[in-house]
């Protein structure tokens, strides 16, 4: 089960996920100019970030939108980035948030769990219902793959749909969480967590505490740290003994060099320092 | 406004959308063998379908999952298909069902409203809330682009989330529909419909009648015809004077040749006949 592998990575390295949301504008100009193609520049930038953080990040999340925005060249860089991560046996999360009917979901599974864009985990959107997840499950069972499904996201507009309350006062995101945890029970690792995980924003402490308590077998992917306004306190509530979740930071890591004079020449070292700082901030909250 | 262009295409050609969900296995073997690469085979197959139906289909929907499943080669075919459709001034709907936070949605907008994968409409998933749609709106306003957001889908599991009822008995999908229609009022065409449309499954007549009545300015994309079990009666309820929506068929059109002896040698003619048959079936229901 992929959940066990991820759990052990967190035990070894801490609960940090580095997000490779690589906007071309993030790449320092003098580094960019070393390469002939956009594809090569993006990939080489990612490679430097990966090399500088692979011993302190439990996993890497690649947000496909940034690569799609550069068209076919961007997707070549996406493919090469995933291949490089896999060659180092690092855990990859493809942040693709797909969600579609059975036959289409089969195609997405084929696209992102094998072939050019193979990844260990993918993120999925549950709006179309649980049968939209079914085609992925055989990969979870047979090929050490995993899912992170959206539960409660960290953007301001999340409340539009996710906060709708039923007659008993239970919110849509709470229903989604419960359904996912139930589905996940068939895909439990020996670590106590399922390979069907959930995405939860680190912006509300009380919600986080409640979700952690109720979804006791759900491993969390926690975005929203740093650039999206969430802090160590908000993220830490989702962890149990420092595990059971990974906190993602993308922009704050990739752009850490902008806060340092001359940082563009050592953007990888700046990224590493940012991950170490973030890991410390979260660990300090855990010990409180 | 793109809604006006689509409206006029429906007036001229009827309310049919041809879905190019081109699974490689759908392509007749003898046709496949004419070309050296998968990319070329997929594109040439699509081209034949487009040429055979462009005068009787209001628009074409390209489901990206089928192309992603073939990796970079598949996405090259996806790009070429969209380029071909645009060169003929045919309306394209990229069925990508993306949904993500603002900065990521900006990247998706860049990816699918300009550049390699440019399309007229994209489908989006509203689970993350209305602010996840904001980055697309400037393209709707300034670049003749449009959205179809998921409201009520046609798969059996759709009920898991979309049917959750609030205290007043209003379902999640009804909330979504109302919020979308409200958002769409800023992007109205002179035809009476907005460029912010909605995706609704053609499987429940009563739901369809209710949605058509309440979402009076929403143009509908109606999948589920044929292969997914929906029929002409269920689809027709979403139309008003034969307009205000397009009914999509993918597999039934692409695989129409399988129902004809020797059909693989004239899969394009079979596809055309299927579209004509479908258009007649729906028009017959409209006149009842």
């Amino acid at each position: 089960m992929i959940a066990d592998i991820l759990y052990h990575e967190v035990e070894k390295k801490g609960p940090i996920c580095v997000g490779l949301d690589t906007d071309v504008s993030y790449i320092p100009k003098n580094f960019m100019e070393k390469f002939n193609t956009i594809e090569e520049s993006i990939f080489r930038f990612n490679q430097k970030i990966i090399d500088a953080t692979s011993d302190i990040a439990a996993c890497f999340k690649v947000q496909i939108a940034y690569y799609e925005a550069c068209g076919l060249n961007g997707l070549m860089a996406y493919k090469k980035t995933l291949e490089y991560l896999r060659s180092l046996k690092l855990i990859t999360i493809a942040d693709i948030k797909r969600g579609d009917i059975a036959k289409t979901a089969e195609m997405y599974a084929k696209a992102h769990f094998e072939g050019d864009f193979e990844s260990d985990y993918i993120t999925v959107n549950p709006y179309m219902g649980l049968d939209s997840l079914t085609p992925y499950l055989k990969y979870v069972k047979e090929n050490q793959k995993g899912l992170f499904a959206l539960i409660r996201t960290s953007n301001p507009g999340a409340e539009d749909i996710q906060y709708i309350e039923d007659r008993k006062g239970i919110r849509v995101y709470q229903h989604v969480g419960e359904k996912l945890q139930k589905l996940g029970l068939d895909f439990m690792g020996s670590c106590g967590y399922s390979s069907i995980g959930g995405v939860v924003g680190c912006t509300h402490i009380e919600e986080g505490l409640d979700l952690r308590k109720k979804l006791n077998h759900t491993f969390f992917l926690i975005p929203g740290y740093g650039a999206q306004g969430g802090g160590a306190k908000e993220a830490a509530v989702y962890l149990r003994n420092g595990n059971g979740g990974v906190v993602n930071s993308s922009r704050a890591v990739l752009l850490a060099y902008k806060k340092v004079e001359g940082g563009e020449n050592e953007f990888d070292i700046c990224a590493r320092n940012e991950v170490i700082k973030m890991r410390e901030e979260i660990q300090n909250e855990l010990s409180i």
Side-chain angles (χ1 to χ4, degrees), chain A:
Chain A
M1 281 287 155
I2 188 71
D4 288 328
I5 305 175
L6 181 52
Y7 181 89
H8 288 296
E9 287 292 284
V10 173
E11 284 296 292
K12 211 162 60 184
K13 303 176 181 173
I16 310 299
C17 175
V18 167
L20 298 166
D21 301 11
T22 310
D23 189 328
V24 182
S25 73
Y26 296 174
I27 304 175
K29 211 176 157 209
N30 55 351
F31 186 80
M32 189 90 184
E33 285 167 352
K34 286 185 188 170
F35 309 100
N36 293 326
T37 61
I38 283 187
E39 166 202 341
E40 193 68 9
S41 302
I42 298 172
F43 170 63
R44 293 295 178 191
F45 177 83
N46 286 349
Q47 196 177 35
K48 294 277 274 182
I49 301 283
I50 295 164
D51 289 346
T53 56
S54 63
D55 62 326
I56 50 174
C59 54
F60 290 82
K61 181 170 85 63
V62 191
Q63 169 52 263
I64 198 170
Y66 288 81
Y67 302 85
E68 284 186 22
C70 296
L72 286 170
N73 292 324
L75 287 162
M76 279 183 218
Y78 179 78
K79 174 178 183 279
K80 285 176 83 172
T81 301
L82 286 173
E83 279 169 356
Y84 185 65
L85 287 163
R86 283 208 311 279
S87 76
L88 300 174
K89 308 232 177 291
L90 298 167
I91 297 182
T92 53
I93 302 171
D95 197 355
I96 58 174
K97 297 192 180 68
R98 301 298 192 260
D100 216 307
I101 55 165
K103 177 73 182 158
T104 307
E106 256 175 54
M107 291 294 131
Y108 279 134
K110 203 175 151 197
H112 299 281
F113 280 155
E114 49 182 294
D116 278 357
F117 308 132
E118 186 178 350
S119 185
D120 297 311
Y121 276 93
I122 62 169
T123 59
V124 291
N125 185 316
Y127 185 73
M128 291 186 71
L130 290 196
D131 63 352
S132 67
L133 305 185
T134 311
Y136 304 110
L137 301 179
K138 82 176 166 94
Y139 290 86
V140 176
K141 195 142 230 162
E142 296 164 17
N143 301 80
Q144 303 250 52
K145 300 297 182 189
L147 302 177
F148 283 109
L150 297 180
I151 295 176
R152 164 69 171 106
T153 59
S154 56
N155 55 315
E159 303 183 2
D160 290 341
I161 315 294
Q162 296 163 34
Y163 264 34
I164 295 172
E165 286 183 5
D166 74 4
R167 288 169 206 277
K168 294 178 186 161
I170 301 170
R171 289 175 168 167
V172 164
Y173 81 82
Q174 292 168 316
H175 279 285
V176 171
E178 276 169 35
K179 284 174 200 286
L180 285 172
Q181 158 126 329
K182 205 173 150 204
L183 177 72
L185 294 178
D186 285 341
F187 307 94
M188 289 291 293
S190 56
C191 62
Y193 294 101
S194 169
S195 295
I196 312 291
V199 180
V200 288
C202 63
T203 37
H204 290 79
I205 289 184
E206 302 231 325
E207 280 180 17
L209 286 168
D210 182 60
L211 282 168
R212 176 67 292 170
K213 195 174 151 203
K214 288 190 179 134
L215 308 183
N216 56 333
H217 295 304
T218 304
F219 199 99
F220 291 128
L221 170 61
I222 309 150
Y225 196 88
Q228 286 172 51
K233 207 188 281 280
E234 287 79 5
V237 297
Y238 287 111
L239 301 176
R240 198 161 47 196
N241 303 320
N243 210 318
V246 283
V247 185
N248 180 76
S249 179
S250 303
R251 260 172 290 172
V253 172
L254 302 182
L255 295 179
Y257 73 85
K258 292 209 168 179
K259 291 187 276 181
V260 178
E261 208 185 315
E264 58 270 21
N265 296 315
E266 43 177 34
F267 64 83
D268 53 341
I269 298 169
C270 298
R272 180 180 177 82
N273 291 339
E274 179 68 24
V275 173
I276 291 171
K277 186 179 131 244
M278 182 182 159
R279 192 171 64 168
E280 273 175 14
E281 285 168 2
I282 293 167
Q283 268 158 354
N284 286 341
E285 289 298 331
L286 293 175
S287 55
I288 290 168

